[in-house]
């Protein structure tokens, strides 16, 4: 990653006595009682804050967005207050919430300032230069550590880094980007990608980009149905996207030209309707009838791809469940895949909202080499896009 790194600045002693501003991603889900329901993102943001303190910063400021508030119209549910409580407990340092901060803040080295939901500031979303310039006056060093919003060019995720006296990448951002680059840019071979989940339309660019890079592309979920249709197989009343059949075929042809492949299942799990308690039947692919819905890959196919993953020493990237894993009767394919990823000696990378839910459901989190915390940003990197955060930090590293 071509960026100045905050860790290097700390090691060089360049943070001592400086005011540090960290753009983190503390956008966590809240429970009905307003407390933090899942603190994964808060914990992932701790290293940058700790580094700033250990580096002798005179003042540490942290901000994040939370939800999608209306700029200039704060509502009770928009406050970072519950995040501040959890952050304080995890850090063991007083965390003080500052509501009005754009025009200036004061504090000391014995506390961490949590600057209220940055999406409440007018001009945040549109990356207003006036707002970014004002914020850029608040500190000496600006740290981008918000991988989850690295694909958005907003005032605190982009603009401020244009005007900041020093702009650098935080440890989480570096770790995330490097883990994904390791698979996308120069992967250990063979590279196996599993792109599954509900729709081809949401992942078409990923399929097209990975088709140029992977040795094997495994498709599953609703995406698989459209590929099956493209291969002339019966899909009954499964979720399909008929207008993307041509695109699916193009992806398969692109891989074939490179001597790679999209293995299609010889068996699938079908049901008469999309319901948790619908009877699940394993059928050979050619036996799928007009009233069947394909809701999972079959056991023979799941076993074959699992073996392949368990026996590869290259890299595996996984996005999307192979079936309707929320319903136990249709979760077996995804579970077998998850277990194979856990057992594989390869570098394994996973990401995506439902993929992480599946990883949690099957309890394999500690056995995946890297799990990305950034949904949209992770997917955009798989699409081969340059993230705005990476672009601006690289540009600032030159000047
Ligand atoms: P991610 O969030 O990991 O990127 P997606 O959002 O693309 O994944 O897809 C996840 C959803 O796809 C799950 O809710 C799952 O139930 C659904 N799904 C998987 N297989 C099928 C299928 N065969 N038919 C319909 N929906 C499916
Ligand atoms: Mg999803």
């Amino acid at each position: 990653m071509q960026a100045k790194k905050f860790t290097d600045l700390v090691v060089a002693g360049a943070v001592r006595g400086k005011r540090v501003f960290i753009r983190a991603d503390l956008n966590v889900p809240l429970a009905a009682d307003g407390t933090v329901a899942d603190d994964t993102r808060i914990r992932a943001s701790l290293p940058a804050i700790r580094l700033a303190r250990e580096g002798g910063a005179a003042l540490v400021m942290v901000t994040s967005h939370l939800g999608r508030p209306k700029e200039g119209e704060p509502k009770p549910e928009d406050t970072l207050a519950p995040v501040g409580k959890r952050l304080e407990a995890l850090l063991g340092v007083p965390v003080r919430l500052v509501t009005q901060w754009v025009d200036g803040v004061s504090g000391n080295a014995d506390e961490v300032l949590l600057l209220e939901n940055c999406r409440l500031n007018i001009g945040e979303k549109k990356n207003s230069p006036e707002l970014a310039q004002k914020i850029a006056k608040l500190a000496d060093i600006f740290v981008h550590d918000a991988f989850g919003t690295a694909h958005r060019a907003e005032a605190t995720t982009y603009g401020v880094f244009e005007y900041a006296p020093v702009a650098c990448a935080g440890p989480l951002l570096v770790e995330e980007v490097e883990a994904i680059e390791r698979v996308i840019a120069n992967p250990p071979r063979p590279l196996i990608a599993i792109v599954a989940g509900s729709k081809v339309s949401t992942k078409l660019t990923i399929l097209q980009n990975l088709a140029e890079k992977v040795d094997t592309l495994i498709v599953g979920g609703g995406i698989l149905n459209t590929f099956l249709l493209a291969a002339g197989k019966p899909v009954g009343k499964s979720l399909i996207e008929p207008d993307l059949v041509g695109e699916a075929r193009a992806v398969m042809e692109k891989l074939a030209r490179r001597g790679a492949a999209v293995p299609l299942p010889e068996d699938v799990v079908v049901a008469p309707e999309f319901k948790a308690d619908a009877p699940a039947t394993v059928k050979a692919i050619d036996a799928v009838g007009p009233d069947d819905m394909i809701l999972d890959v079959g056991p023979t196919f799941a076993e074959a791809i699992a073996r392949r993953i368990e026996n590869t020493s290259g890299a595996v990237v996984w996005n999307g469940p192979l079936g309707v894993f929320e319903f136990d009767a249709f979760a077996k394919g995804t579970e077998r895949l998850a277990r194979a990823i856990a057992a594989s000696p390869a570098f394994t990378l996973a990401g995506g909202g439902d993929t992480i839910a599946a990883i949690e459901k099957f309890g394999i989190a500690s056995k995946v080499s890297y799990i990305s915390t950034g949904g949209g940003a992770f997917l955009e990197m798989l699409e081969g896009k340059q993230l705005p955060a990476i672009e601006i930090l690289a540009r600032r590293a030159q000047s």
Side-chain angles (χ1 to χ4, degrees), residues 191-222:
L191 170 62
I192 304 178
I194 301 103
V195 180
S198 50
K199 289 182 166 177
V200 175
S201 48
T202 58
K203 300 193 177 164
L204 183 60
T205 321
I206 296 180
L207 292 163
Q208 289 167 337
N209 184 43
L210 291 181
E212 286 165 12
K213 301 188 160 73
V214 300
D215 299 292
T216 303
L217 176 65
I218 295 162
V219 294

Side-chain angles (χ1 to χ4, degrees), residues 288-318:
V288 171
D291 292 327
D292 288 331
M293 277 185 109
I294 302 172
L295 297 181
D296 195 7
V297 296
T300 309
F301 181 69
E303 192 58 30
I305 60 168
R307 289 279 168 83
R308 203 185 287 202
I309 290 165
E310 284 162 357
N311 292 322
T312 183
S313 54
V316 179
V317 52
W318 176 28

Side-chain angles (χ1 to χ4, degrees), residues 197-198 202-203 319-321 326 352-355 379:
S198 50
T202 58
K203 300 193 177 164
N319 168 254
E326 297 92 336
D354 293 287
T355 308
L379 298 178

Side-chain angles (χ1 to χ4, degrees), residues 72-222:
E73 293 177 27
K75 297 201 178 56
E77 65 269 26
D78 300 332
T79 181
L80 282 173
V83 172
K85 272 201 190 124
R86 182 63 63 90
L87 182 60
E88 184 167 88
L90 292 167
L91 268 180
V93 174
V95 172
R96 180 157 60 88
L97 185 69
V98 183
T99 3
Q100 300 296 328
W101 52 270
V102 171
D103 293 306
V105 286
S106 53
N108 61 61
D110 299 325
E111 59 183 350
V112 168
L113 300 190
L114 181 61
L115 312 181
E116 187 58 286
N117 198 337
C118 55
R119 279 199 188 151
L120 287 169
N121 296 327
I122 294 171
E124 170 67 16
K125 228 175 161 66
K126 292 217 164 114
N127 187 21
S128 136
E130 296 76 37
L131 177 63
Q133 279 161 7
K134 268 192 189 177
I135 298 173
K137 294 201 175 80
L138 295 177
D140 306 299
I141 299 172
F142 286 76
V143 184
H144 199 321
D145 206 32
F147 180 69
T149 46
H151 59 311
R152 299 217 161 91
E154 299 175 353
T156 59
T157 60
Y158 190 89
V160 76
F161 294 92
E162 290 195 270
Y163 307 114
V166 174
C168 63
L172 175 64
L173 184 71
V174 171
E175 186 182 82
E176 292 268 6
V177 170
E178 288 184 348
I180 302 170
E181 280 178 345
R182 189 164 157 187
V183 168
I184 296 305
N186 197 8
R189 298 278 173 183
L191 170 62
I192 304 178
I194 301 103
V195 180
S198 50
K199 289 182 166 177
V200 175
S201 48
T202 58
K203 300 193 177 164
L204 183 60
T205 321
I206 296 180
L207 292 163
Q208 289 167 337
N209 184 43
L210 291 181
E212 286 165 12
K213 301 188 160 73
V214 300
D215 299 292
T216 303
L217 176 65
I218 295 162
V219 294

